[in-house]
């Protein structure tokens, strides 16, 4: 019977065969402990000299790290391991012997590991982070499908730049210039007018020369957009969505959180509603915290966000930023000229901004004026302005960065570990 590590619980007391790789091994003269992995999970195989053919024990002793094997044995309950089962090995068939696998159990530098990312993703910690990423993706689809949203896929090759024109990857589109999408938002606004509540989930590109633990050049973003939703309505969706994905990971990724030694008591507290603090209040708070040279109108950097987040156990919304700091499409505050109806959601524990969102300008003339002020009133945005001509309604939306969210939930130090093959400032390989 051929099975996988994930399925062994169904075969206790039975003999099964698993296609696996050897991730690590310990052996003495009489017994060998094989750490097996097969992609679906990790488990220990035990080979006892007195219980197997001589050549099987020899194979167990000589087998090298990352060699591929078919291993056959009896599934036993093992209460000492978090996984709960072990394999009493009876036979080993080597498929391919791996010679000098570069990533040994000793410590390696990050650059070395990044150069070997194609192999590094096999390690237990990286495997766990990828599984958590997968659960966040799964829970995202569940949340939006259960709440009446329609998945819409905006284009990746675009002619416009919603988040400013300085961070674009330009490419030739036959005789025209095109850009890789830095946000699907403008298209999602059009889609919301057709389908009501929509969400996208796709790759996003930012030619940003930032080298921080929160920045990727290519990252994945979830962008919901909702017709007839005003600013506060959108905040409610955001806190419910983020609570849902955290609770889903807690429920479905216990082993992985254990491997990562994540403090789950911190995650258990992540339930809606989340606290809110206005930009004005945040400036006062920071001044009192010793950031003496920050002034109203300044943007927040990572140290500011971290200082604010430290006061809360849950993610916090910073609301109503100055108009001058934010893109052209944000709806002005009803009674104040200087701020817009927007919010950034800041994750706890120093992980920074995971969501940016706002109510959108829906008045035709105001949007036209805004586009003009930003020098964007050209052909590329004509269609977008036209949305405000035919049954324009209040609407809101937001974008959640997948990798920053996974970094926070899994406790990873850097977003580079939360995407299989990160694109970074100086890294296009592997
Ligand atoms: O705040 P941003 O730039 O917002 C937008 O793009 C809006 N158009 C979204 C919308 O309203 N539909 O990006 C949204 C989120 C950030 O909060 C962050 O989590 C993530 O995307 N993000 C990045 N993640 C990794 N690397 C980068 N360089 C990122 N830039 C933004
Ligand atoms: Mg932002």
């Amino acid at each position: 019977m051929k099975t996988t590590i994930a399925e062994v619980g169904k075969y206790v007391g039975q003999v099964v065969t698993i296609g696996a790789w050897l991730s690590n091994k310990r052996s003495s003269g009489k017994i060998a402990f094989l750490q097996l992995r097969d992609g679906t999970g990790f488990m220990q195989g035990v080979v006892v000299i007195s219980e197997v053919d001589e050549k099987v024990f020899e194979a167990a002793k000589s087998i090298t790290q990352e060699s591929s094997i078919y291993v056959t044995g009896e599934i036993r309950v093992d209460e000492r391991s978090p996984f709960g089962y072990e394999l009493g090995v009876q036979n080993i068939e080597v498929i391919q012997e791996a010679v000098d696998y570069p990533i040994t159990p000793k410590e390696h530098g990050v650059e070395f590991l990044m150069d070997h990312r194609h192999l590094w993703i096999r390690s237990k910690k990286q495997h766990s982070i990828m599984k958590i990423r997968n659960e966040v993706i799964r829970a995202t689809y569940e949340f939006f499908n259960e709440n009446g949203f329609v998945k819409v896929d905006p284009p990746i090759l675009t002619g416009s730049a919603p988040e400013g024109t300085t961070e674009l990857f330009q490419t030739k589109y036959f005789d025209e210039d095109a850009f890789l999408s830095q946000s699907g938002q403008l298209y999602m606004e059009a889609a919301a007018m057709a389908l009501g509540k929509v969400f996208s989930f796709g790759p996003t590109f930012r030619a940003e020369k930032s080298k921080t633990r929160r920045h990727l050049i290519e990252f994945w973003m979830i962008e919901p957009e909702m017709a007839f939703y005003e600013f506060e309505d959108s905040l409610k969706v955001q806190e419910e969505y983020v609570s849902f994905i955290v609770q889903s990971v807690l429920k479905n990724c216990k082993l992985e959180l254990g491997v990562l030694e994540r403090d789950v008591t911190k995650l258990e507290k992540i339930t809606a509603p989340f606290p809110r603090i206005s930009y004005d209040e945040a400036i006062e708070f920071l001044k009192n915290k010793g950031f003496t040279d920050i002034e109203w109108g300044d943007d927040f950097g990572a140290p500011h966000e971290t200082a604010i987040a430290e006061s809360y156990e849950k993610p916090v919304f910073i609301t109503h930023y100055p108009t001058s700091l934010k893109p052209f499409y944000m709806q002005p505050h009803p009674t104040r000229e200087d701020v817009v109806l927007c919010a950034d959601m800041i994750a706890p524990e120093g992980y920074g901004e995971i969501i940016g969102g706002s109510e959108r300008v829906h008045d035709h003339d105001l949007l036209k004026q805004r586009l003009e002020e930003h020098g964007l009133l050209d052909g590329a945005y004509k269609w977008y302005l036209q949305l405000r001509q035919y049954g324009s309604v209040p609407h809101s939306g937001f974008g959640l960065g997948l990798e920053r969210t996974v970094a926070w939930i899994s406790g990873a130090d850097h977003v580079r570990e939360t995407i299989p093959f990160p694109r970074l400032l100086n890294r296009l390989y592997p």
Side-chain angles (χ1 to χ4, degrees):
M1 170 68 72
K2 217 172 180 177
T3 190
T4 60
I5 292 175
E7 299 283 310
V8 296
K10 295 180 188 160
Y11 300 102
V12 175
Q14 295 181 45
V15 174
V16 299
T17 297
I18 298 171
W21 292 268
L22 184 84
S23 69
N24 203 354
K25 160 187 92 171
R26 269 186 307 127
S27 63
S28 69
K30 290 183 181 138
I31 191 161
F33 297 100
L34 310 180
Q35 301 308 322
L36 305 168
R37 59 169 201 90
D38 77 338
T40 75
F42 289 77
M43 88 184 281
Q44 175 165 277
V46 185
V47 198
V48 182
I49 194 166
S50 58
E51 291 172 4
V52 294
D53 279 358
E54 200 178 316
K55 69 173 203 315
V56 173
F57 195 74
E58 273 315 303
K61 273 181 68 174
S62 61
I63 189 172
T64 51
Q65 189 191 354
E66 285 307 310
S67 289
S68 46
I69 57 178
Y70 282 119
V71 56
T72 301
E74 186 191 335
I75 303 298
R76 300 191 292 236
V77 170
D78 174 19
E79 263 142 27
R80 288 155 305 174
S81 86
F83 178 60
Y85 306 97
E86 66 172 21
L87 187 75
V89 176
Q90 297 173 357
N91 195 28
I92 297 168
E93 185 190 324
V94 176
I95 303 168
Q96 197 235 349
E97 188 187 323
V99 180
D100 297 335
Y101 185 67
I103 306 177
T104 58
K106 67 161 207 222
E107 289 274 316
H108 293 283
V110 167
E111 284 309 307
F112 177 86
L113 291 169
M114 290 298 293
D115 286 341
H116 293 86
R117 183 66 179 166
H118 50 297
L119 303 175
W120 188 25
I121 49 175
R122 302 179 182 195
S123 76
K124 206 168 185 174
K125 186 177 163 206
Q126 299 306 313
H127 180 268
S128 296
I129 297 172
M130 287 305 120
K131 292 288 284 284
I132 289 172
R133 177 183 170 105
N134 178 64
E135 177 59 19
V136 172
I137 294 169
R138 194 205 60 74
T140 292
Y141 279 89
E142 184 184 341
F143 179 84
F144 289 111
N145 284 320
E146 292 297 308
N147 286 287
F149 286 71
V150 177
K151 168 101 191 302
V152 168
D153 302 315
I156 290 169
L157 286 167
T158 66
S160 55
E163 301 301 315
T165 47
T166 54
E167 297 169 355
L168 288 166
F169 279 106
Q170 201 165 343
T171 179
K172 269 284 169 243
Y173 192 77
F174 306 107
D175 294 332
E176 291 177 75
D177 288 326
F179 310 107
L180 297 184
S181 173
Q182 53 172 201
S183 161
Q185 180 194 320
L186 306 189
Y187 299 96
M188 297 310 287
E189 290 185 49
M193 302 306 137
L195 294 151
K197 293 197 284 183
V198 293
F199 75 108
S200 68
F201 195 150
T204 306
F205 306 88
R206 303 263 168 112
E208 238 177 309
K209 296 236 156 90
S210 304
K211 211 175 170 184
T212 78
R213 62 193 195 93
R214 297 170 181 181
H215 284 88
L216 290 163
I217 304 301
E218 177 181 305
F219 65 97
W220 288 67
M221 186 152 58
I222 294 106
E223 293 188 273
E225 194 69 34
M226 299 147 294
F228 306 105
Y229 273 50
E230 292 172 22
F231 175 59
E232 279 288 336
D233 303 324
S234 172
L235 296 191
K236 220 165 157 259
V237 176
Q238 294 173 43
E239 60 198 4
E240 280 168 7
Y241 166 46
V242 170
S243 306
F244 184 78
I245 54 182
V246 171
Q247 296 306 320
S248 296
V249 171
L250 279 170
K251 189 167 138 216
N252 299 322
C253 297
K254 291 200 172 76
L255 267 176
E256 289 79 7
L257 291 166
V259 167
L260 299 170
E261 296 172 16
R262 183 68 171 98
D263 181 352
V264 291
T265 60
K266 292 209 163 85
L267 297 178
E268 280 159 1
K269 294 181 180 138
I270 310 305
T271 51
F274 296 167
R276 290 138 166 76
I277 173 176
S278 70
Y279 174 89
D280 295 355
E281 290 163 344
I283 289 286
E284 283 313 304
F285 170 88
L286 289 169
K287 280 189 173 152
N288 293 334
K289 274 262 160 175
F291 292 90
T292 44
D293 42 352
I294 194 149
E295 281 179 50
W296 199 96
D298 291 346
D299 209 352
F300 297 142
H304 304 115
E305 289 178 355
T306 302
I308 294 165
E310 269 171 2
S311 307
Y312 306 94
E313 291 184 321
K314 297 183 186 188
V316 52
F317 288 110
I318 306 179
T319 66
H320 306 100
Y321 281 74
T323 314
S324 57
L325 290 178
K326 292 292 180 185
F328 67 89
Y329 54 71
M330 292 189 178
Q331 174 73 10
H333 189 282
T335 59
R336 280 177 65 177
E337 287 259 304
D338 55 344
V339 297
V340 282
L341 296 181
C342 74
D344 284 353
M345 186 194 288
I346 313 298
E349 302 176 65
Y351 284 92
E353 178 200 326
I354 53 171
I355 289 185
S358 74
E359 186 170 328
R360 321 304 193 188
V361 173
H362 65 277
D363 180 76
H364 176 274
D365 293 350
L366 179 59
L367 183 62
K368 189 171 171 199
Q369 182 197 325
R370 280 289 164 82
L371 285 166
E372 244 163 10
E373 286 162 9
H374 285 79
L376 298 171
L377 198 59
D378 59 18
Y381 294 87
K382 259 197 188 135
W383 66 268
Y384 180 67
L385 186 58
Q386 212 178 42
L387 298 175
R388 276 62 175 172
Q389 237 173 308
Y390 305 107
S392 191
V393 299
H395 62 288
S396 302
F398 62 94
L400 174 133
L402 176 63
E403 289 76 15
R404 287 191 194 172
T405 305
V406 173
W408 162 48
I409 296 175
S410 60
D413 297 334
H414 195 297
V415 286
R416 67 184 162 219
E417 293 187 43
T418 65
I419 184 164
F421 296 98
R423 306 291 85 151
L424 298 162
L425 200 48
N426 297 315
R427 183 171 292 281
L428 188 56
Y429 303 99

